[in-house]
Amino acid sequence: MKRSCGVLMHITSLSSPYGIGTLGKEAEEFINTLRSAGQKYWQVLPVNPAGFGNSPYQSFSAFAGDPLLIDLDDLVANGLLTKAKCDEADFGADPTFVDFDKVTKVKMRLLKEAHASFCENKTASSGDVAYLAFTREEALWLDDYALFMALKEANNGVSWDNWENDIRFRKDSAIKQAMEQLSERVNFWKFTQYFFYRQWEKMRRYANKNGVEIIGDIPIYAAYDSADVWVNRELFLLDTGGKPIKVAGVPPDYFSKTGQLWGNPLYDWEEMKKEKFLWWVERFKKSAKLYDSVRVDHFRAFDTYYAVPFGEKTAVNGKWEQGPGMALFDVISKELGDYPIIAEDLGEIFDSVKELLKQTGFPGMKILQFGFNPENSDSEHLPHNYTANMVVYTGTHDNSTMKGWLKSADSNSRNMAKRYVKPVLFEQPYWACVRSLYASRADMVIIPMQDILGLDDKARMNRPGTVGGNWLWRMKRGAFKKSAINRLKSLSDTYFR
């Protein structure tokens, strides 16, 4: 890595007249602003279809894109919708958060209308040729995903383990019958993916043309209620009825006294190894098509992962088990070469995890907030301990905003922070925190957009271990003001990023 800097903000948080950030004009405007601010990276959260709790880390597919991110103006430009229909729809009145109930209901209705127009106007045009080419090229995951979503609709949204036995266990005759009966809905879900990926490629090209690279995010686990688990049950630790034997989580930690019970099914790593980790290889290949580099969530689980017996109410009674280690990354490296990967190596880290990180050569992460403590003791998360091969943050989507943390932290930790970053005259403490990271030895600095705007915890993206009220924040149009742009540019120039 070279010395560089960037901003962390999910696409849903962009301003937009349609209730949620999309891959359209606002994304290009944000890229222009990043360029003006001297930023080389835009880091996003997973762009897969959000599932339980609207979480991008609980997706219906590890390969599909979220239809809610599709830009409606592009569909208008293609004659598939009218601007009037988009303008008259109610996406929610508050521009500072995503009303997922309203946005999902209205946007899916509009996408269905666009699909109907698409089907009515089929010709031998280049657009149709591109669509057919897309469905063929992506058939490995697209056919299963589209059928899975059509079946979810037909089953009133319930999880696949509550479907009829023949389709739940993917009996050939049942799959064939479902494909025939639900063909229109299957084609609709393929249509959403075609436009998502077309718009994504356009946005990424625009970013790269303007000197901005996209950092993506791979969630470590697949959601139980997903096409991935329904199709590949043999790759997960499930019983004969399809129920998880053990589920994922983390032990009691900084965020929760009873740990975090994520509930995702765990991988059968022995079975995956027999298949030469093909599912993971395809996942990383898809990532390489989407992003210029990628953050791998919960990297430590590739070394040792926390397994909680299915049915437990908390994560207290879990235990650590052995992951695939370097065997997986040897295969990934062979298939993808030197694709840039950032390892999210936070939490309880054993020496073996550190050794795996060293073997891979991936940069790890450090969080400034974690460095300040009531004891005023030294910490690896403080900038004077950083090494070059690191990506450092004031906080991530799981943390308080910097301003929120400074307000809620105990007085000893807060005083330690102010002594350490030493705000200069008229400098807000949260900006001093940003400056301390820019001045550090770490090669890459990524700052959440909320910290650049100086927002409190009302703008916090996620509170780990909670359901509801997360993933909602949006940036008001015009909030990224010239003063903040100039300050970031000055920091970038001053510290040679």
Side-chain angles (χ1 to χ4, degrees):
M1 291 192 299
K2 296 181 179 179
R3 283 182 69 79
S4 57
C5 52
V7 171
L8 167 62
M9 185 173 78
H10 196 31
I11 295 164
T12 59
S13 296
L14 289 167
S15 61
S16 159
Y18 305 127
I20 191 171
T22 72
L23 303 174
K25 180 180 69 174
E26 289 80 11
E28 293 187 354
E29 290 177 354
F30 185 64
I31 289 165
N32 293 340
T33 307
L34 291 178
R35 180 189 60 193
S36 299
Q39 304 299 295
K40 297 180 176 65
Y41 293 99
W42 177 8
Q43 182 174 334
V44 299
L45 302 184
V47 297
N48 310 109
F52 180 70
N54 303 311
S55 172
Y57 293 91
Q58 294 285 349
S59 179
F60 295 127
S61 170
F63 296 86
D66 192 344
L68 296 184
L69 301 182
I70 292 174
D71 174 41
L72 294 179
D73 288 335
D74 180 50
L75 300 182
V76 172
N78 279 275
L80 302 178
L81 285 174
T82 65
K83 189 70 165 63
K85 280 193 174 181
C86 296
D87 290 342
E88 69 188 17
D90 180 10
F91 294 96
D94 192 335
T96 65
F97 80 98
V98 180
D99 186 333
F100 276 103
D101 288 340
K102 282 188 176 181
V103 168
T104 302
K105 181 179 179 180
V106 173
K107 193 152 193 177
M108 295 313 296
R109 174 175 58 79
L110 290 171
L111 289 176
K112 288 172 183 176
E113 291 182 19
H115 178 242
S117 298
F118 183 76
C119 293
E120 289 170 5
N121 296 310
K122 276 188 175 179
T123 65
S125 68
S126 60
D128 287 325
V129 171
Y131 169 75
L132 292 173
F134 171 81
T135 59
R136 285 195 299 268
E137 290 169 4
E138 305 296 335
L140 184 67
W141 63 269
L142 181 61
D143 291 349
D144 290 323
Y145 165 74
L147 178 58
F148 176 83
M149 295 304 295
L151 283 164
K152 277 194 73 68
E153 286 182 308
N155 285 276
N156 299 311
V158 302
S159 178
W160 66 266
D161 57 314
N162 291 309
W163 299 348
E164 292 183 1
N165 277 351
D166 284 354
I167 197 68
R168 178 158 60 103
F169 289 104
R170 295 182 54 82
K171 189 176 178 180
D172 288 346
S173 59
I175 293 292
K176 182 179 179 181
Q177 183 180 35
M179 287 291 288
E180 292 172 353
Q181 293 179 345
L182 300 174
S183 60
E184 182 180 341
R185 302 306 304 147
V186 168
N187 289 332
F188 164 73
W189 289 105
K190 290 182 179 182
F191 163 85
T192 66
Q193 292 308 296
Y194 170 63
F195 272 92
F196 171 88
Y197 276 100
R198 191 171 83 164
Q199 291 180 8
W200 180 274
E201 289 170 6
K202 180 184 176 185
M203 185 202 76
R204 183 181 170 187
R205 285 196 304 270
Y206 187 86
N208 292 169
K209 180 181 177 181
N210 284 277
V212 175
E213 294 188 5
I214 307 295
I215 302 175
D217 195 322
I218 291 184
I220 177 68
Y221 292 118
Y224 178 68
D225 188 20
S226 68
D228 309 287
V229 177
W230 177 58
V231 173
N232 304 290
R233 287 193 306 277
E234 72 282 357
L235 300 181
F236 297 85
L237 293 178
L238 308 179
D239 63 23
T240 55
K243 295 289 187 181
I245 298 170
K246 302 172 185 177
V247 295
V250 290
D253 62 4
Y254 172 88
F255 294 109
S256 173
K257 293 180 180 179
T258 58
Q260 297 176 47
L261 186 62
W262 298 336
N264 304 74
L266 295 169
Y267 299 112
D268 186 335
W269 285 115
E270 289 301 316
E271 190 63 32
M272 284 191 158
K273 188 175 182 179
K274 291 177 185 176
E275 296 191 0
K276 298 181 179 179
F277 302 109
L278 178 62
W279 187 82
W280 275 100
V281 168
E282 293 300 327
R283 199 174 179 192
F284 271 98
K285 283 182 177 179
K286 173 57 67 178
S287 171
K289 286 185 177 181
L290 285 169
Y291 315 119
D292 298 293
S293 56
V294 69
R295 183 196 89 132
V296 177
D297 178 52
H298 201 56
F299 174 83
R300 66 140 307 117
F302 293 110
D303 173 71
T304 40
Y305 59 90
Y306 197 65
V308 183
F310 181 64
E312 290 284 326
K313 301 301 181 184
T314 72
V316 171
N317 293 323
K319 67 175 184 176
W320 293 103
E321 299 191 6
Q322 193 62 46
M326 199 61 200
L328 170 65
F329 293 106
D330 284 339
V331 173
I332 298 299
S333 177
K334 182 179 179 181
E335 293 288 339
L336 277 82
D338 295 327
Y339 179 54
I341 293 172
I342 299 167
E344 190 270 282
D345 59 336
L346 306 174
E348 187 177 354
I349 302 300
F350 304 155
D351 288 344
S352 58
V353 182
K354 296 178 182 178
E355 180 59 30
L356 177 61
L357 183 63
K358 183 179 178 181
Q359 286 181 296
T360 64
F362 302 155
M365 291 172 50
K366 292 292 177 279
I367 308 299
L368 182 62
Q369 286 181 28
F370 292 168
F372 305 128
N373 56 81
E375 296 78 26
N376 193 28
S377 59
D378 201 1
S379 167
E380 65 182 1
H381 290 278
L382 292 175
H384 68 273
N385 289 318
Y386 294 168
T387 60
N389 192 35
M390 285 182 177
V391 183
V392 298
Y393 302 74
T394 46
T396 72
H397 60 277
D398 283 334
N399 296 105
S400 291
T401 66
M402 202 67 235
K403 186 174 183 178
W405 183 90
L406 288 164
K407 182 178 180 181
S408 62
D410 64 90
S411 59
N412 287 343
S413 298
R414 183 165 55 249
N415 288 336
M416 179 187 178
K418 290 180 179 179
R419 285 195 307 273
Y420 191 93
V421 301
K422 293 184 175 62
V424 297
L425 188 64
F426 302 125
E427 183 181 38
Q428 291 289 346
Y430 62 85
W431 266 116
C433 291
V434 173
R435 176 171 50 79
S436 72
L437 295 188
Y438 269 74
S440 75
R441 188 183 172 196
D443 279 337
M444 188 184 294
V445 175
I446 304 290
I447 306 298
M449 193 68 223
Q450 292 94 320
D451 290 347
I452 294 167
L453 301 180
L455 302 178
D456 61 22
D457 271 352
K458 291 179 182 177
R460 183 171 178 171
M461 200 63 172
N462 182 47
R463 290 171 173 79
T466 68
V467 177
N470 296 319
W471 318 109
L472 304 179
W473 176 72
R474 293 176 68 206
M475 179 173 65
K476 283 185 177 179
R477 186 168 185 81
F480 200 175
K481 298 183 182 300
K482 193 70 175 176
S483 57
I485 295 169
N486 290 341
R487 189 178 295 232
L488 281 179
K489 182 67 165 65
S490 177
L491 288 174
S492 175
D493 292 343
T494 299
Y495 297 109
F496 305 99
R497 294 192 178 276

